[in-house]
């Protein structure tokens, strides 16, 4: 009883070893998984590095070869996995040799459309029909030539000649006639580009002073008050000024040279913008206007009522 039991036990071990040589130690998948864990990598990390899916990585670690695409691809996956986790890829390749692997799928080219090649010694049916049609035309021409009266042939040839001559005459007439060109429209005068809106400037007083009318002796003349709503500008240096009236309309906008003066009249309140304001003097209704509130670029903005 002891011998038979030992013999059966030994026989069982021998069959397992024959069917799977790596059963004495960890399998290929177990070695790959242990190497991944030693490297501190997750399944997602390994799949991303190997450019595989998580399912393929898990199949490799579980020795599930039937879920993988063929023996050649499995060997490539294992070799790359071993390189990633620092294992000896050659030992793993040797372990794979004795294992049952799925065959790689056969690649078949798409079946083309069958083409019938003409056999030697046999002419195409279409060529025969072309030859027969040519012979028929030739026979009809011979029959017409021999059996139709000559005057019909002459009249037909003459008609063909007349038609060709008339076509040539038409072509020559068309060639000799100069082409009629469409009437050219009268050239439109090119106007200069419209000048930008000119600043509205209150006309200055005439350079020649108006004659002063002397009142009769003995009559007292009252001094006339200055014209109301007049802004009087004096420019010590060149300065740009813009003035808007009560309605927001620009009534004065221009650059003024040094040493000049400008009087601007309109409806108050006035919105005034003065550049280089430090060198400009402004009077309104006989009073000097304070221009000390200026920006960093020496521009004064104020409202005068």
């Amino acid at each position: 009883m002891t011998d038979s039991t030992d013999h059966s036990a030994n026989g069982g071990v021998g069959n397992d070893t024959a069917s799977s040589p790596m059963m004495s130690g960890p399998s290929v998948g177990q070695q790959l998984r242990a190497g991944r864990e030693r490297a501190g990598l997750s399944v997602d990390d390994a799949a991303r590095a190997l450019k595989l899916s998580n399912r393929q990585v898990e199949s490799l670690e579980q020795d599930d070869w039937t879920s993988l695409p063929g023996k050649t691809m499995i060997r490539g996956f294992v070799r790359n996995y071993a390189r990633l986790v620092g294992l000896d890829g050659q030992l793993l390749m040797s372990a794979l040799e004795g294992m049952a692997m799925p065959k790689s799928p056969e690649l078949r080219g798409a079946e083309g459309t069958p083409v019938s090649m003409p056999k030697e010694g046999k002419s195409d049916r279409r060529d025969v029909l072309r030859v027969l049609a040519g012979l028929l035309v030739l026979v009809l021409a011979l029959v017409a030539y021999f059996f139709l009266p000559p005057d019909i042939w002459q009249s037909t040839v003459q008609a063909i000649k007349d038609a060709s001559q008339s076509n040539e005459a038409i072509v020559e007439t068309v060639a000799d006639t100069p082409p009629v060109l469409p009437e050219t429209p009268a050239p439109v005068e090119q106007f200069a580009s419209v000048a930008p809106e000119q600043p509205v400037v209150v006309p200055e007083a005439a350079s020649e002073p108006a004659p002063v009318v002397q009142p009769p002796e003995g009559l007292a003349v009252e001094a006339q008050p200055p014209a109301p709503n007049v802004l009087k500008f004096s420019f010590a240096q060149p300065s740009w000024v813009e003035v808007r009236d009560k309605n927001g309309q620009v009534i004065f906008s221009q650059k003024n040279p040094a040493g000049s003066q400008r009087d601007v009249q309109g409806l108050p309140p006035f919105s005034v913008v003065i550049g280089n304001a430090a060198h400009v003097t402004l009077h309104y209704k006989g009073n000097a206007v304070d221009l000390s509130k200026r920006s960093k670029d020496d521009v004064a903005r104020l409202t005068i009522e």
Side-chain angles (χ1 to χ4, degrees):
M1 294 296 293
T2 305
D3 295 337
S4 61
T5 304
D6 294 340
H7 179 73
S8 60
N10 293 335
V13 173
N15 292 335
D16 293 342
T17 306
S19 60
S20 178
M22 296 298 297
M23 289 299 293
S24 59
S27 65
V28 174
Q30 292 172 350
Q31 294 183 56
L32 293 176
R33 180 176 181 179
R36 175 178 62 78
E37 293 175 349
R38 284 195 303 271
L41 300 175
S42 64
V43 174
D44 291 339
D45 297 336
R48 191 179 305 109
L50 297 172
K51 294 182 173 56
L52 299 176
S53 65
N54 291 3
R55 182 185 59 81
Q56 290 175 322
V57 173
E58 292 173 353
S59 298
L60 288 172
E61 293 182 351
Q62 296 171 6
D63 299 301
D64 185 8
W65 312 121
T66 57
S67 300
L68 297 171
K71 182 176 181 179
T72 304
M73 299 296 292
I74 292 173
R75 291 174 61 87
F77 291 166
V78 172
R79 183 181 294 108
N80 293 337
Y81 205 154
R83 186 183 300 113
L84 175 66
V85 298
L87 298 177
D88 189 350
Q90 192 61 35
L91 293 177
L92 297 180
M93 292 296 103
S94 301
L96 291 175
E97 290 296 333
M99 295 183 181
M101 295 286 179
K103 295 183 178 180
S104 300
E106 296 182 1
L107 300 178
R108 295 182 180 180
E111 296 182 358
T113 304
V115 178
S116 60
M117 300 297 293
K119 298 181 180 179
E120 296 182 0
K122 293 184 179 181
S123 58
D124 194 354
R125 184 179 179 182
R126 289 177 294 181
D127 296 337
V128 175
L129 293 177
R130 292 192 189 98
V131 173
L132 292 177
L135 292 175
L136 180 59
V137 173
L138 179 59
V139 171
L140 293 176
L142 292 175
V143 170
Y145 178 77
F146 286 107
F147 291 96
L148 288 179
D151 55 350
I152 295 178
W153 278 104
Q154 292 178 359
S155 61
T156 303
V157 173
Q158 187 64 32
I160 296 174
K161 289 183 179 180
D162 294 341
S164 62
Q165 290 176 359
S166 61
N167 290 336
E168 292 177 359
I170 292 173
V171 173
E172 291 177 358
T173 303
V174 174
D176 295 339
T177 303
V180 179
L181 298 176
E183 295 183 0
T184 305
V188 180
E189 295 183 1
Q190 299 294 332
F191 295 96
S193 58
V194 180
E197 181 180 356
Q198 297 295 329
V200 180
V201 182
V202 178
E204 301 180 11
S207 58
E208 297 181 0
V212 180
V213 180
Q214 297 293 336
E217 295 181 1
L219 295 178
V221 178
E222 296 180 359
Q224 297 182 356
N229 305 331
V230 176
L231 300 172
K232 294 182 175 293
F233 295 91
S234 299
F235 304 99
Q237 291 186 4
S239 175
W240 178 84
V241 174
E242 179 184 283
V243 180
R244 295 178 181 266
D245 64 0
K246 176 182 179 181
N247 301 321
Q249 182 178 1
V250 178
I251 60 175
F252 182 83
S253 177
Q254 72 174 38
K255 183 178 180 180
N256 305 276
S260 63
Q261 296 181 355
R262 294 289 185 271
D263 294 344
V264 181
Q265 183 176 355
L267 296 176
F270 301 102
S271 296
V272 183
V273 179
I274 305 174
N276 199 14
H279 303 280
V280 179
T281 302
L282 174 60
H283 289 81
Y284 180 63
K285 293 183 179 181
N287 299 320
V289 179
D290 183 15
L291 302 180
S292 59
K293 296 181 179 180
R294 301 186 297 271
S295 62
K296 294 181 179 180
D297 51 356
D298 198 18
V299 176
R301 292 178 174 82
L302 62 155
T303 301
I304 301 175
E305 300 181 355

